[in-house]
Amino acid sequence: MSRSHENHLPKASDYSTDNSDSDIELDIQELATHQEQHDDNPEESSPWDQGSPDGRIPLRNLRVSRTRGFRASRQNDSYWDRDSESLTQDSLGIRDSEGTTEDNAPLLELSNGSTTRRNSRDQGSDRPSTRLRLAKFLSFASTAIQSPVAGYQDAQDNSTAGASRHITVGQYPPPRFPPNAVSNAKYSAWSFLPRTLYNEFSFFFNMYFLLVALSQLIPPLRIGYVSTYVVPLAFVLAITLGKEALDDIARRRRDAEANKEAYTVLRLHDPSKDSRRKKNRKSRAAKTTSNRGRSDTASSYPNRLDVIEEEEEILGRDRKVPGIDIEVDELSIKARDVKVGDVIKLGKDQRVPADLVILKSSSAESGPAPSPLPQSQISPSNITHTDVGATLFPLETGSPTTSAEHHEQDGVYNRPDTSDSDGTGEAFLRTDQLDGETDWKLRLASSLTQSLDPRLFARLRIIAGRPSKKINEFVGTIEYTPWEISEHDGAPQRESNREKALSAPLTIDNTAWANTVLASNVTVLAVVVYTGAQTRQAMSTTAPRSKIGLLDCEINDLTKILCALTLTLSVVLVALEGFENREEMKWYVAMTRFLILFSTIIPISLRVNLDMGKSVYAWFIQRDQGIPGTVVRTSTIPEELGRIEYLLSDKTGTLTQNEMELKKVHVGTVSYANEAMDEVTSHVQQGFVTSSASDALKPAQLVTPSSSYRTSVAANPTTRTRREIGSRVRDLVLALALCHNVTPTIEEENGESVTTYQASSPDEIAIVRWTEQVGLRLIHRDRKSITLQSVETSRVVVRVQILDIFPFTSEGKRMGIILQFLEKQDPADAADSARDTSGEIWFYQKGADTVMTSIVAMNDWLDEETANMAREGFRTLVVGRRKLSAQQYQIFSSKYKEASLSLQHRDAKMARVVKEHLESNLELLGVTGVEDKLQKDVKPSLELLRNAGIKIWMLTGDKVETARCVAVSAKLVSRTQYIHTVTKLTPDTPAASALDALSLLRSKPDSTTLLIDGDSLSYFLSHHRWEFVSIAVLLPAVIACRCSPTQKADIAYLIRQFTKKRVACIGDGGNDVSMIQAADVGVGIVGKEGRQASLAADFSISSFHHLTKLLVWHGRNSYKRSAKLAQFIIHRGLIISVCQTIYSIAAHYEPIALYRDWLLVGYATVYTMAPVFSLVLDKDVDEGLANLYPELYKELTNGQSLSYRTFFVWVAVSIYQGSIIQGLSQILVGSSNAEFPRMVSVSFTVLVINELIMVASEIVTWHRIMVASLLGTMAIYIGSVPFLGGYFDLGYVWSWGFAWRVTAISAVSLVPPYSVKILRRTLKPPNYRKVQGF
């Protein structure tokens, strides 16, 4: 026998001569694909490369050599080493041999892409070991598996968004899918410099100064020191890039906090297999060491005999123990480390870290709630080996042995019990952070997995669809492959039996998407199917973009004008010389030098000052005690807060608290609200007094709707009218306590048992809480029955069986239930009562008044009362009932069942049966009014923003009726405005009718509010985009309902694109992130629902009413200060350039510098920067006036503070003052070479004084820092004069001639502009002067 430790791999022919030990044989043509893959390395060929004399290869040889051949091609890949090693072992088959990949692929492919017929599994069935090995080889393949290389390619394909995926539950190592990390960062380590430099040099003046700085490297163009031009540019870039880096680092730190959130993960493994694998590795390492002459590559291969021995050991063990050998490692990992295939354990109020499929749900009483380890203890060593059946979820069928015995009757080990004995498998999710809907969503575990022991999750495989952004759709399949127990040679053996595999469909009801919250008090086990960028949340979120303020764009345009002015001056000065070449330079060199001399017209310090000013504004915002908790996350756009014209707001959690409370009920003749609710409590106490309530030893009779209204013995005799009203109140309260989908749960808080309610709608929870407050408590609810208890006596007063439920839908706008009332109180007789068909049958229904009006009996008060409640901002529900005889119910039931089996138009047929047999002439019981509590000061805040000229759009995922009520209660819609509703437009809607729906808006845009649903909005955005937006942007308010996150972002982008105005978006949930990032200014609210919107926003606040101060006060100040600061910096640069121009003309058009080196740099920094920059502290009105007169904010939206008009006014002032300063200096002092130092000392001193006085004249509200900067700067200049001997004539500076010339020139320069300013302010005072009263 040839040794298996030689440098070459053993050939197939070496082992094919003895067919007695061969397994099922495969045609050699099936291996053609792998043969081609190894032809390029003949020295390390695998057994697949060689043929046998008869063209066949034994399967055992194929199996053993395949691993080594595969290792030879991927010996440096530890991931594939482990995966390949697992292929050689006949383990329990807890995962697919390739981990993931397409499972319907053929076993091996021909080179031409076709597949050959595989030999029958019955071949060689007389060999038990052969048969068992073949079953393992095919354990999780539908018919066969792919080659390793093909599997690798499929795994790569699976990681893309374009392929469906096959997931083995609990698989380790996990397949290669995106990491589950939250990232709001704008840059990576590699993209930071390229992107930020591109953004900076996209500004014209930055590119201009880069060219000017580079020109100083050319000797003929050099003027003064190179550092004079290079250092300022480098300083500007360093400041800007540093701010961007700090902002992005802060984002990464916030993301890291979210990514470090701990979650409990279950890892499934076989400890015996792990120990055998460790032992075999040690054995192979020892054998490798003893063979000195082998190459390193060959020595890394496992010994073929060792592999066979390991297989036989596993088979022998399988003959002995047919039970469950899987153990579960329960460990705590960070959210970013969650991977596809992981089993996550979730408890109440935990946020879902990735897209999950729910496998099992059990009440918290059945097992401990997850308690992740502290962050400091999160490590692979913190693994707790648990008896999962005892600690996670109790086994319904007993111990593993009992469970095995239970299923051995059909020869299949541990087939799941679909009876759902461990609870109902229900879980409620809060999805408002995903879709904006306030209703809780009911999610169910698959019936295939609900009753499974978690150790058997290793036998599960999920086939999921490709990643998608559709949050309301999911298509998938889950498969369970049980063990088959069989007898071979007198010993029990087990194997995976694909023929008896069970499968079940997966829908949206079985999922929990990332960023939702588990709301119910249950413990959920779920498997991860999508992570990171492939989750529904992430795919609905747009990538963050670098935001540039409108002020920056406007200044960029102004610098282009200044550049054109610079070029014009240069050309004119050269042209006046006649474009003649001079002895020392060419004319174009002279023109270029003029351009460099006049480069101060475009002040490079402008960006530095503006960026530093933005940092000051951000500091003011974050230190404001009036808006505590406010965080500026993007410090480059605070001026944008002062230019907002459109505000797009979420509803849930932003305008409302998402806390419902029933405020009012009406029973036809009497309305109850506020203190009158005490009378309702009195009626309920009397109405649910049972006949035997006074005798505690005797069971009381249950209350039914037909029970007469009784009063207690101690109560005073009541009039007939009071009894009638009391009976109506009792019937309404009973209907509200029964007609819902609420489930009560018991929780412990501070050592006390507290009843909480779970439901898909917060409205229903509010109603059930109200019924408890007035005396009727819901104590039990399942799919079959409801039990009510009297709060006063703590006795059960109502028991009903649930016969049918008709859930609420957006189309139907109503919810109904058919109940059979039981009359026996004793729980021991409950079963008899359930079988009793003589109980009363009632149909209860509640819904919107728009649909219930035609269903209930005729009345004269419903329309009026619902209108009154709507005006108060309440969400109204109309409640009715109808009694059914047993025969009527049987007829309905048969018709309804027949309609439910229809394959076409099923929903419509079922709705038709309900309408025909139930929804007619219902007894009207009453109307309820539920209030969605608004956030603090929402009403005055919206009114103030509206008066400030901001148009407000409310975008929500909620229902139309809910949005309408909130809009009215929040005063988003004033009493004088008409709400025009557009709903139910589909792609089939004719264009003419769709445009007609907008015609009314065009006729009265100022007094009409648009209410539109998501489908209609999608229709307009797809077919009539510009027609819709051209009308919608004119309206004072727009309400969009049922909006997806993508639609919200599209609306923000559309408004920006169409109007070119500034758009702000505000929200508090993950579903608002796309909208926030698409806006010019994104504002996130930190609330009880999470921080995702806050992390992605530019500004983070803690409450909606803080937005008014952020915009009206801080936004207004930031914009006005930056506008004034920019104008002064432009003035400062332009006036010195005018002085240079005047001097060049006087010097016969020679490009000679007037001020050079330190004078040029010092003027823009030490001598003027502090006073000019102190303008960031100026304010024209105080905060009280800004809030009292929001119209002051409205005038900023037109950009009047920095416009072309104001720009040219400052240009004119600069030209006048520069001409006066330099002209008079040359006239009064002279401009000859001898007089040049004196002239420079006079003109430069006047230049500094002029700038300081101009700053002082523009200040409205003085601040001590302003005074200090002015006096300090003047002192610095005077103190530095003795050191300017290289530029000034110091002897002349201290003379009276110098003093009077400086004074005279300064007066001529400053008095005329200031006089014009005073005259204009007197004749046409600005608005801020008007509100100040002078």
Side-chain angles (χ1 to χ4, degrees):
M1 181 177 181
S2 62
R3 294 188 306 172
S4 62
H5 302 294
E6 297 297 330
N7 289 338
H8 69 281
L9 291 176
K11 298 181 180 180
S13 58
D14 295 338
Y15 306 102
S16 60
T17 56
D18 184 8
N19 290 333
S20 64
D21 192 38
S22 65
D23 290 324
I24 296 174
E25 297 176 342
L26 301 177
D27 291 337
I28 190 66
Q29 287 83 0
E30 296 180 0
L31 309 175
T33 303
H34 283 282
Q35 182 176 355
E36 294 177 358
Q37 294 170 351
H38 293 278
D39 284 345
D40 57 344
N41 196 354
E43 294 183 359
E44 297 181 0
S45 60
S46 70
W48 290 326
D49 302 329
Q50 306 296 333
S52 60
D54 58 353
R56 296 179 179 273
I57 295 178
L59 181 57
R60 174 179 294 181
N61 301 343
L62 171 64
R63 180 172 58 252
V64 174
S65 300
R66 171 191 181 209
T67 304
R68 299 187 295 179
F70 185 45
R71 284 196 177 193
S73 63
R74 305 193 63 83
Q75 55 185 324
N76 294 325
D77 194 335
S78 60
Y79 175 89
W80 286 101
D81 284 352
R82 294 193 300 269
D83 192 51
S84 304
E85 190 172 340
S86 65
L87 289 171
T88 67
Q89 303 172 356
D90 268 327
S91 63
L92 298 176
I94 64 173
R95 53 181 172 268
D96 194 346
S97 57
E98 288 299 324
T100 58
T101 72
E102 298 294 335
D103 292 272
N104 56 356
L107 174 61
L108 295 170
E109 297 182 359
L110 292 176
S111 57
N112 60 2
S114 63
T115 59
T116 60
R117 182 180 57 85
R118 190 179 54 182
N119 290 332
S120 172
R121 288 187 58 183
D122 296 332
Q123 190 176 8
S125 60
D126 57 335
R127 302 187 185 95
S129 62
T130 298
R131 179 182 179 186
L132 185 57
R133 286 172 185 155
L134 181 60
K136 170 64 184 76
F137 189 70
L138 303 174
S139 60
F140 267 179
S142 56
T143 57
I145 66 169
Q146 295 174 318
S147 66
V149 177
Y152 172 73
Q153 295 297 336
D154 283 339
Q156 293 289 76
D157 293 341
N158 269 343
S159 66
T160 65
S164 60
R165 59 187 62 186
H166 294 222
I167 303 166
T168 301
V169 176
Q171 151 183 289
Y172 187 83
R176 297 178 179 178
F177 292 109
N180 193 53
V182 176
S183 178
N184 290 296
K186 293 182 180 180
Y187 313 103
S188 66
W190 302 104
S191 66
F192 175 74
L193 279 178
R195 289 184 60 185
T196 52
L197 290 177
Y198 173 81
N199 290 336
E200 288 305 307
F201 288 115
S202 63
F203 286 100
F204 176 79
F205 54 83
N206 280 350
M207 179 60 69
Y208 176 81
F209 274 102
L210 176 64
L211 296 176
V212 170
L214 293 176
S215 70
Q216 296 305 291
L217 301 177
I218 304 174
L221 302 180
R222 185 174 300 166
I223 301 176
Y225 297 113
V226 177
S227 58
T228 305
Y229 298 90
V230 175
V231 172
L233 178 63
F235 182 71
V236 169
L237 294 179
I239 292 293
T240 306
L241 268 63
K243 288 178 77 287
E244 284 290 316
L246 291 176
D247 288 345
D248 213 50
I249 290 173
R251 293 189 193 96
R252 288 184 177 274
R253 288 176 177 171
R254 293 189 296 268
D255 292 341
E257 293 178 3
N259 291 329
K260 288 180 181 178
E261 187 175 357
Y263 288 90
T264 302
V265 175
L266 309 184
R267 288 283 165 80
L268 313 176
H269 73 106
D270 182 359
S272 61
K273 182 179 68 175
D274 294 342
S275 62
R276 288 194 303 274
R277 181 179 301 175
K278 183 177 181 181
K279 181 183 68 176
N280 289 337
R281 286 176 178 170
K282 291 182 178 180
S283 175
R284 286 195 296 270
K287 293 178 181 179
T288 300
T289 305
S290 64
N291 293 277
R292 300 288 184 179
R294 296 184 194 96
S295 65
D296 295 339
T297 303
S299 64
S300 64
Y301 299 151
N303 190 331
R304 173 180 178 273
L305 295 180
D306 292 339
V307 176
I308 296 176
E309 290 173 2
E310 187 174 342
E311 290 180 351
E312 297 297 339
E313 182 183 350
I314 297 172
L315 294 178
R317 185 174 182 276
D318 286 345
R319 293 189 183 98
K320 297 176 182 178
V321 184
I324 304 176
D325 299 322
I326 301 297
E327 286 189 0
V328 176
D329 292 339
E330 181 176 332
L331 64 155
S332 184
I333 67 173
K334 299 175 182 177
R336 67 187 178 199
D337 297 325
V338 171
K339 294 179 173 58
V340 173
D342 282 347
V343 178
I344 305 291
K345 182 181 177 184
L346 296 174
K348 183 180 180 182
D349 293 330
Q350 271 196 292
R351 190 169 299 278
V352 178
D355 286 356
L356 311 177
V357 168
I358 298 175
L359 301 177
K360 191 178 183 74
S361 174
S362 180
S363 61
E365 291 80 4
S366 299
S371 55
L373 298 175
Q375 291 293 335
S376 59
Q377 302 180 16
I378 297 177
S379 66
S381 61
N382 294 324
I383 297 176
T384 304
H385 294 278
T386 60
D387 182 358
V388 182
T391 60
L392 289 177
F393 292 92
L395 283 173
E396 303 81 0
T397 54
S399 64
T401 305
T402 304
S403 184
E405 294 172 355
H406 175 74
H407 293 290
E408 282 181 7
Q409 297 176 359
D410 59 359
V412 178
Y413 173 72
N414 223 344
R415 181 184 296 272
D417 180 7
T418 58
S419 61
D420 196 18
S421 58
D422 183 19
T424 61
E426 297 179 351
F428 284 98
L429 298 178
R430 294 200 300 269
T431 64
D432 51 330
Q433 297 295 292
L434 180 68
D435 56 17
E437 297 188 20
T438 58
D439 297 350
W440 288 8
K441 303 298 187 299
L442 175 64
R443 293 293 184 259
L444 304 171
S446 173
S447 59
L448 185 64
T449 60
Q450 172 62 21
S451 59
L452 277 183
D453 186 305
R455 287 170 287 186
L456 294 177
F457 288 169
R459 308 299 301 162
L460 295 172
R461 185 182 64 172
I462 291 176
I463 304 173
R466 67 185 61 184
S468 169
K469 65 171 62 176
K470 298 179 179 179
I471 59 178
N472 295 318
E473 295 181 12
F474 177 73
V475 177
T477 303
I478 188 167
E479 296 182 357
Y480 174 75
T481 305
W483 289 118
E484 183 179 78
I485 306 301
S486 59
E487 293 286 338
H488 290 284
D489 297 334
Q493 298 183 19
R494 61 181 178 180
E495 59 183 351
S496 298
N497 192 337
R498 294 289 298 172
E499 296 178 356
K500 295 185 179 181
L502 304 177
S503 64
L506 295 174
T507 65
I508 187 65
D509 295 330
N510 307 117
T511 62
W513 297 143
N515 211 39
T516 58
V517 177
L518 183 61
S520 51
N521 188 26
V522 296
T523 301
V524 168
L525 295 184
V527 60
V528 179
V529 290
Y530 305 110
T531 53
Q534 293 183 350
T535 61
R536 296 307 203 259
Q537 172 73 39
M539 296 188 72
S540 299
T541 303
T542 57
R545 62 187 180 91
S546 297
K547 297 182 179 180
I548 300 175
L550 181 60
L551 182 70
D552 293 327
C553 297
E554 292 172 343
I555 291 176
N556 195 49
D557 293 337
L558 296 180
T559 55
K560 294 177 183 179
I561 298 176
L562 292 176
C563 182
L565 179 60
T566 302
L567 180 61
T568 302
L569 283 175
S570 302
V571 172
V572 169
L573 291 177
V574 175
L576 291 176
E577 192 68 15
F579 290 102
E580 295 180 359
N581 294 328
R582 305 176 185 181
E583 296 180 358
E584 62 277 8
M585 67 183 68
K586 304 291 185 180
W587 67 269
Y588 51 83
V589 175
M591 187 173 67
T592 305
R593 286 175 61 88
F594 275 124
L595 282 172
I596 297 171
L597 286 174
F598 296 147
S599 62
T600 54
I601 291 180
I602 306 174
I604 193 172
S605 60
L606 179 59
R607 284 299 305 277
V608 177
N609 282 270
L610 290 178
D611 288 344
M612 293 176 63
K614 294 174 181 180
S615 299
V616 173
Y617 308 148
W619 187 83
F620 285 154
I621 293 173
Q622 295 183 144
R623 292 291 299 271
D624 192 338
Q625 298 300 318
I627 48 176
T630 301
V631 179
V632 179
R633 305 198 188 279
T634 304
S635 59
T636 58
I637 56 171
E639 303 93 346
E640 296 296 276
L641 295 171
R643 308 286 295 276
I644 302 301
E645 294 193 50
Y646 292 91
L647 175 65
L648 276 55
S649 173
D650 179 41
K651 179 187 72 69
T652 307
T654 303
L655 298 178
T656 68
Q657 301 180 29
N658 197 22
E659 294 181 3
M660 309 297 176
E661 183 179 359
L662 193 148
K663 287 287 191 178
K664 189 175 184 180
V665 294
H666 196 285
V667 293
T669 56
V670 182
S671 177
Y672 298 95
N674 302 323
E675 294 80 5
M677 290 297 181
D678 295 337
E679 189 173 351
V680 175
T681 303
S682 175
H683 288 309
V684 171
Q685 291 175 354
Q686 296 177 15
F688 288 93
V689 174
T690 55
S691 58
S692 303
S694 59
D695 189 355
L697 300 178
K698 186 176 180 180
Q701 184 178 1
L702 297 177
V703 176
T704 68
S706 299
S707 301
S708 59
Y709 179 80
R710 305 183 181 93
T711 60
S712 61
V713 177
N716 295 326
T718 57
T719 63
R720 179 178 178 181
T721 302
R722 179 173 174 80
R723 286 197 300 271
E724 290 179 354
I725 295 175
S727 178
R728 289 184 181 180
V729 172
R730 185 199 67 174
D731 291 342
L732 176 61
V733 173
L734 179 61
L736 295 175
L738 294 173
C739 186
H740 54 72
N741 279 308
V742 180
T743 302
T745 59
I746 306 297
E747 298 181 3
E748 283 197 7
E749 294 183 3
N750 300 324
E752 298 181 358
S753 296
V754 179
T755 301
T756 60
Y757 299 110
Q758 303 168 2
S760 61
S761 172
D763 297 65
E764 291 194 326
I765 293 179
I767 291 175
V768 172
R769 284 176 178 168
W770 177 81
T771 62
E772 181 180 4
Q773 292 174 1
V774 297
L776 195 59
R777 178 186 294 128
L778 174 68
I779 61 172
H780 174 75
R781 164 70 183 264
D782 56 30
R783 295 182 179 180
K784 298 179 180 179
S785 64
I786 300 175
T787 303
L788 304 180
Q789 179 190 65
S790 171
V791 175
E792 181 186 21
T793 63
S794 298
R795 288 178 175 271
V796 173
V797 293
V798 177
R799 289 183 187 271
V800 296
Q801 279 187 301
I802 301 175
L803 302 181
D804 289 287
I805 296 180
F806 314 102
F808 181 92
T809 62
S810 300
E811 295 77 18
K813 301 179 183 178
R814 57 192 181 275
M815 178 265 176
I817 188 171
I818 300 179
L819 305 170
Q820 184 174 27
F821 285 80
L822 307 182
E823 298 180 356
K824 294 185 179 181
Q825 170 71 297
D826 191 352
D829 298 332
D832 295 336
S833 298
R835 290 189 293 269
D836 186 7
T837 59
S838 61
E840 299 177 10
I841 299 176
W842 288 83
F843 169 62
Y844 288 96
Q845 190 172 60
K846 64 181 180 182
D849 59 286
T850 54
V851 296
M852 292 295 292
T853 301
S854 60
I855 295 176
V856 299
M858 293 293 295
N859 61 88
D860 57 357
W861 59 270
L862 178 60
D863 292 340
E864 181 181 358
E865 187 58 32
T866 54
N868 292 336
M869 288 189 179
R871 279 192 291 270
E872 295 180 56
F874 295 146
R875 304 163 71 158
T876 58
L877 284 176
V878 179
V879 185
R881 70 177 182 178
R882 178 180 178 182
K883 188 174 183 180
L884 303 176
S885 65
Q887 182 179 5
Q888 287 176 322
Y889 176 72
Q890 291 297 331
I891 294 174
F892 162 77
S893 181
S894 61
K895 295 287 187 181
Y896 192 73
K897 183 177 181 181
E898 179 182 352
S900 66
L901 298 176
S902 177
L903 297 179
Q904 295 182 348
H905 309 294
R906 177 185 301 175
D907 294 340
K909 291 180 180 180
M910 294 169 65
R912 189 180 304 114
V913 171
V914 173
K915 184 174 182 61
E916 292 176 355
H917 293 268
L918 301 178
E919 295 180 339
S920 61
N921 203 31
L922 265 64
E923 177 188 355
L924 178 60
L925 297 178
V927 181
T928 64
V930 177
E931 180 187 44
D932 188 356
K933 294 182 180 179
L934 299 175
Q935 292 281 1
K936 180 182 178 182
D937 295 334
V938 162
K939 295 180 182 179
S941 298
L942 290 177
E943 183 178 2
L944 188 148
L945 294 175
R946 189 165 47 243
N947 292 335
I950 299 175
K951 297 179 173 62
I952 304 171
W953 292 42
M954 187 175 76
L955 311 179
T956 176
D958 247 329
K959 301 183 290 291
V960 173
E961 292 77 14
T962 304
R964 182 194 298 269
C965 292
V966 171
V968 173
S969 62
K971 306 302 180 184
L972 177 64
V973 180
S974 65
R975 293 180 178 272
T976 59
Q977 290 178 346
Y978 166 73
I979 300 178
H980 181 62
T981 305
V982 178
T983 58
K984 298 181 180 179
L985 296 183
T986 65
D988 299 330
T989 303
S993 60
L995 294 176
D996 287 343
L998 301 177
S999 59
L1000 179 63
L1001 301 175
R1002 193 182 299 276
S1003 60
K1004 297 180 179 180
D1006 295 332
S1007 60
T1008 306
T1009 296
L1010 173 63
L1011 175 62
I1012 187 170
D1013 64 357
D1015 292 337
S1016 303
L1017 180 62
S1018 178
Y1019 172 83
F1020 281 118
L1021 294 181
S1022 301
H1023 298 86
H1024 307 288
R1025 173 181 293 258
W1026 297 113
E1027 292 88 343
F1028 169 76
V1029 71
S1030 62
I1031 298 176
V1033 296
L1034 301 177
L1035 304 177
V1038 175
I1039 307 165
C1041 313
R1042 295 294 183 186
C1043 283
S1044 67
T1046 304
Q1047 283 181 323
K1048 292 182 178 181
D1050 289 343
I1051 292 174
Y1053 175 77
L1054 187 62
I1055 296 176
R1056 289 176 47 224
Q1057 186 181 30
F1058 182 82
T1059 63
K1060 309 300 180 183
K1061 304 294 185 180
R1062 299 294 94 180
V1063 177
C1065 294
I1066 182 171
D1068 73 317
N1071 62 310
D1072 303 317
V1073 171
S1074 295
M1075 174 181 69
I1076 288 173
Q1077 292 178 339
D1080 296 298
V1081 177
V1083 182
I1085 295 180
V1086 180
K1088 60 183 179 181
E1089 300 302 335
R1091 300 184 302 166
Q1092 187 166 356
S1094 168
L1095 294 176
D1098 304 306
F1099 300 89
S1100 172
I1101 59 179
S1102 57
S1103 181
F1104 181 85
H1105 74 281
H1106 291 167
L1107 181 66
T1108 57
K1109 187 171 186 179
L1110 190 65
L1111 298 182
V1112 175
W1113 176 241
H1114 289 289
R1116 183 177 183 275
N1117 286 340
S1118 298
Y1119 172 65
K1120 289 187 70 69
R1121 290 165 175 172
S1122 287
K1124 185 179 291 187
L1125 179 63
Q1127 290 169 338
F1128 257 98
I1129 294 174
I1130 292 174
H1131 167 266
R1132 186 178 62 188
L1134 191 58
I1135 192 173
I1136 197 173
S1137 297
V1138 173
C1139 292
Q1140 176 67 53
T1141 303
I1142 299 299
Y1143 175 74
S1144 297
I1145 295 174
H1148 306 288
Y1149 312 108
E1150 291 290 338
I1152 301 174
L1154 173 62
Y1155 311 118
R1156 65 179 66 199
D1157 302 336
W1158 169 249
L1159 294 183
L1160 196 62
V1161 175
Y1163 173 75
T1165 55
V1166 178
Y1167 299 144
T1168 59
M1169 182 175 179
V1172 172
F1173 187 73
S1174 68
L1175 291 173
V1176 299
L1177 303 175
D1178 192 21
K1179 56 183 180 181
D1180 53 0
V1181 295
D1182 58 25
E1183 184 179 348
L1185 287 176
N1187 292 326
L1188 185 61
Y1189 298 98
E1191 293 78 6
L1192 294 174
Y1193 181 90
K1194 188 175 182 179
E1195 68 179 7
L1196 302 183
T1197 58
N1198 298 325
Q1200 295 180 358
S1201 297
L1202 181 62
S1203 61
Y1204 287 116
R1205 176 179 173 277
T1206 59
F1207 168 74
F1208 285 112
V1209 168
W1210 278 98
V1211 168
V1213 172
S1214 301
I1215 293 174
Y1216 168 78
Q1217 291 183 334
S1219 302
I1220 293 296
I1221 292 172
Q1222 186 59 32
L1224 291 181
S1225 297
Q1226 294 179 180
I1227 294 173
L1228 297 179
V1229 180
S1231 59
S1232 63
N1233 292 336
E1235 298 168 335
F1236 182 79
R1238 293 186 176 186
M1239 183 268 294
V1240 170
S1241 61
V1242 171
S1243 64
F1244 190 81
T1245 302
V1246 174
L1247 198 64
V1248 172
I1249 295 174
N1250 180 86
E1251 193 67 21
L1252 296 182
I1253 296 178
M1254 285 292 293
V1255 170
S1257 66
E1258 288 294 325
I1259 293 176
V1260 178
T1261 304
W1262 283 89
H1263 191 279
R1264 61 178 179 274
I1265 295 180
M1266 296 177 175
V1267 177
S1269 64
L1270 287 169
L1271 297 180
T1273 299
M1274 196 64 204
I1276 290 174
Y1277 176 72
I1278 295 174
S1280 66
V1281 169
F1283 303 96
L1284 301 178
Y1287 309 101
F1288 294 172
D1289 183 349
L1290 297 181
Y1292 178 73
V1293 168
W1294 306 113
S1295 65
W1296 284 108
F1298 173 83
W1300 75 263
R1301 287 177 175 83
V1302 168
T1303 303
I1305 297 173
S1306 298
V1308 176
S1309 172
L1310 290 168
V1311 172
Y1314 187 74
S1315 301
V1316 172
K1317 178 181 177 181
I1318 294 297
L1319 180 62
R1320 182 178 181 279
R1321 182 178 296 176
T1322 303
L1323 298 177
K1324 189 179 180 181
N1327 290 331
Y1328 74 87
R1329 288 281 180 179
K1330 295 178 181 178
V1331 300
Q1332 288 176 338
F1334 58 87

